[in-house]
Amino acid sequence: MKLSQFPFSKGLVWCALAFLATVVTLQAEEDVIAPNDEMLEPPRVRMTQNRMHQVLDGFCKNFEIQGNVAQFEFEDVKLVCVSDPNADRMRILTPIMQESEMTDEQRKAVLEANFHTALDARYALSNGVLYSLFLHPLSSLDDDQIKLGVYQVANLLKTFGTEYSGG
């Protein structure tokens, strides 16, 4: 079948060919310019439960461990870190108040904060208690993320009822 037998104009064909030429050229340029994965960042060391506990103990007060649960204080806020290496999960949390004591305005405010101002921490309900919570896969955490998680959880508690902010 000849090109002239297709039911479209020559202008459309030229536009399509020009587009394809541009895409091929851009792809070739990306291949030359783009760094490979090894150049982007050095390989990360997997976070372990023990290393996470060392990080927490290094900047928090009254650090204690019982099994998979660590208790500590940060800026006068009592927090708990629960971790499960087998499930590759960790949570840093602190209770705020009983759910039954929350007003409708507070419920709405925490939902909006989870979208706008809570950052990586979240407000969460469990078993009738409102918590400030940071959860993350354990193995991919780094030291700074642990510290930010603690800071944001503490801030969500401190700003509950006012700014509802993790930052």
Side-chain angles (χ1 to χ4, degrees):
M1 182 175 255
K2 294 182 180 180
L3 188 58
S4 61
Q5 294 174 323
F6 284 99
F8 44 77
S9 70
K10 289 182 183 177
L12 182 61
V13 171
W14 286 113
C15 287
L17 289 174
F19 173 76
L20 287 173
T22 303
V23 169
V24 169
T25 303
L26 290 174
Q27 182 61 44
E29 289 175 5
E30 287 176 11
D31 290 343
V32 172
I33 295 170
N36 61 33
D37 291 341
E38 295 167 358
M39 293 172 60
L40 292 177
E41 66 180 54
R44 282 185 146 175
V45 176
R46 289 177 59 91
M47 181 62 68
T48 64
Q49 187 179 50
N50 288 338
R51 191 164 135 234
M52 179 182 62
H53 288 165
Q54 289 173 348
V55 171
L56 290 168
D57 190 23
F59 78 101
C60 297
K61 297 178 183 175
N62 302 321
F63 186 81
E64 297 178 19
I65 302 173
Q66 283 188 329
N68 287 350
V69 178
Q71 298 180 51
F72 50 93
E73 291 179 33
F74 178 76
E75 295 182 358
D76 299 323
V77 175
K78 293 182 181 187
L79 299 113
V80 174
C81 177
V82 181
S83 53
D84 183 351
N86 295 325
D88 192 30
R89 299 301 296 177
M90 61 77 66
R91 295 171 189 231
I92 298 170
L93 59 124
T94 191
I96 298 174
M97 68 186 309
Q98 293 293 318
E99 178 184 10
S100 60
E101 298 172 5
M102 290 179 69
T103 66
D104 288 341
E105 292 80 22
Q106 289 171 326
R107 286 187 212 314
K108 182 180 178 196
V110 297
L111 286 173
E112 288 180 359
N114 279 350
F115 191 83
H116 293 290
T117 58
L119 304 176
D120 296 322
R122 293 287 177 260
Y123 290 106
L125 289 170
S126 180
N127 296 320
V129 177
L130 176 68
Y131 290 92
S132 172
L133 167 77
F134 171 78
L135 62 149
H136 200 281
L138 177 63
S139 63
S140 62
L141 272 174
D142 63 34
D143 295 7
D144 289 338
Q145 288 172 318
I146 295 168
K147 293 173 184 177
L148 281 173
V150 169
Y151 175 80
Q152 290 176 16
V153 168
N155 258 9
L156 285 182
L157 170 69
K158 289 178 174 185
T159 63
F160 178 81
T162 56
E163 292 98 18
Y164 296 92
S165 175

